[in-house]
Structure formats: C-alpha cells, structure tokens
C-alpha cells in the first residue's frame, strides 16, 4: 500500500509514460480514447463491462474467500453475493461523481494517498504485534488454544 503511493512520486520524472505505453498498450489506450470520445450508451456499457474485468484488491480477497469455500457451487455463490453486495456502493459512487465538485476531487486526490500510507503503516504495526494499545491485536487472540480431552479413549 505504501509503495503504491510512493512509487509514482519517486519515479515521476524518471519514467516517461509515452515510452511505457507504446506498442500494444498504446493501441489499446487509443481505442479506449475513441470509445470515450463518442459518449453513446453502447460505448459506455462496453467500457463498463471491460472495467468490471479489471481486478482490484477487494476482488482478490473475494476470490480467496470463494476458494476457501472448497466447493464450486459455494464459491460461485460467494462471488455472486460479493458482486451484489458491492453494487450499491459502486452505484452510489458513480452517482456522486456527477454531484462532487472538481475542487473537492482535487482535495481528495491529495488526502487519499496520506490515508493509504497511514493504513499501510497501521497494517505493518499490527502484523508485528508490538503490544501497542489499540493497534496491536491482543496476544490471547494470536495463541492457538487446544482443549485437552480428559476422558479416556474407549477401546474394546
């Protein structure tokens, strides 16, 4: 998370995007520009469908949860439930995009990377279990508890 914020800042002047996006990626981006320039419902639907195929961190977590079900049908149900569950938030964001001013967007673009770095630092500190109050998980939550069976096994 921290690297996703720092990488573009550190390499802003060192990497030329026009060279990175040459070739296949450049042609693909050019086609997307054509689709965006003609704002028809068909083009917007096609762009939305393609955008839905781009995975993000939450999708990776949902895939891990679906795999963890150990059954194909349950995994499919898990992913369908995930998709249905994210629909209201995505719809709200798309509608809010028409209401939010450009000034607010610029401010958010400056503040969001700070929150991402803070969250990344928080995750690192939690993972280290340093005993920091309100940050580190409680140590009894980290220990594996096993119950001892005091009954003697029945062997006849």
């Amino acid at each position: 998370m921290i690297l996703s914020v720092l990488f573009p800042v550190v390499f802003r002047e060192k990497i030329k995007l026009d060279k990175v996006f040459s070739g296949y990626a450049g042609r693909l981006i050019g086609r997307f520009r054509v689709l965006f320039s003609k704002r028809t419902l068909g083009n917007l639907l096609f762009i939305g469908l393609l955008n839905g195929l781009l995975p993000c961190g939450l999708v990776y977590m949902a895939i891990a949860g679906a795999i963890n079900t150990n059954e194909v049908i349950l995994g499919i149900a898990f992913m369908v439930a995930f998709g249905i569950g994210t629909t209201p938030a995505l719809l709200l964001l798309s509608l809010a995009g028409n209401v939010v001013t450009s000034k607010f967007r610029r401010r958010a673009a400056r503040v969001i990377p700070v929150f991402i770095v803070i969250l990344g630092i928080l995750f690192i500190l939690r993972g280290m279990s340093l005993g920091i109050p309100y940050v580190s998980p409680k140590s009894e939550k980290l220990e594996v508890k096993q119950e001892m069976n005091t009954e003697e096994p029945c062997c006849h």
Side-chain angles (χ1 to χ4, degrees), residues 43-65:
N43 283 354
L44 294 176
L45 176 66
F46 184 65
I47 291 168
L49 290 172
L50 289 177
N51 190 35
L53 297 174
L54 295 173
C56 68
L58 290 175
V59 173
Y60 287 135
M61 293 303 294
I63 290 170

Side-chain angles (χ1 to χ4, degrees), residues 86-141:
T86 57
T87 300
L90 293 174
L91 182 62
L92 182 66
L93 281 173
S94 69
L95 294 175
N98 296 329
V99 177
V100 174
T101 64
S102 62
K103 184 178 180 181
F104 179 80
R105 288 181 192 174
R106 283 193 302 273
R107 285 184 181 169
R110 281 187 257 143
V111 172
I112 288 172
V114 173
F115 282 119
I116 291 173
V117 170
I118 290 170
L119 195 57
I121 292 169
L122 180 67
F123 284 166
I124 290 170
L125 291 174
R126 284 185 61 83
M128 294 173 72
S129 296
L130 299 174
I132 301 170
Y134 304 106
V135 174
S136 299
K138 301 217 182 279
S139 60
E140 62 266 8
K141 300 279 185 186

Side-chain angles (χ1 to χ4, degrees), residues 7-120:
F7 187 82
V9 172
V10 171
F11 294 105
R12 182 176 299 150
E13 299 296 323
K14 295 176 177 62
I15 296 176
K16 302 294 180 195
L17 290 179
D18 56 344
K19 291 181 181 178
V20 172
F21 290 123
S22 62
Y24 175 74
R27 289 190 305 271
L28 187 62
I29 289 172
R31 290 187 181 153
F32 270 109
R33 284 187 183 142
V34 170
L35 287 173
F36 274 116
S37 67
K38 301 174 186 170
R39 298 192 126 225
T40 65
L41 287 178
N43 283 354
L44 294 176
L45 176 66
F46 184 65
I47 291 168
L49 290 172
L50 289 177
N51 190 35
L53 297 174
L54 295 173
C56 68
L58 290 175
V59 173
Y60 287 135
M61 293 303 294
I63 290 170
I67 290 170
N68 198 34
T69 63
N70 292 326
E71 290 187 34
V72 174
I73 299 300
L74 288 177
I76 291 170
F78 188 95
M79 291 305 293
V80 167
F82 173 78
I84 291 170
T86 57
T87 300
L90 293 174
L91 182 62
L92 182 66
L93 281 173
S94 69
L95 294 175
N98 296 329
V99 177
V100 174
T101 64
S102 62
K103 184 178 180 181
F104 179 80
R105 288 181 192 174
R106 283 193 302 273
R107 285 184 181 169
R110 281 187 257 143
V111 172
I112 288 172
V114 173
F115 282 119
I116 291 173
V117 170
I118 290 170
L119 195 57

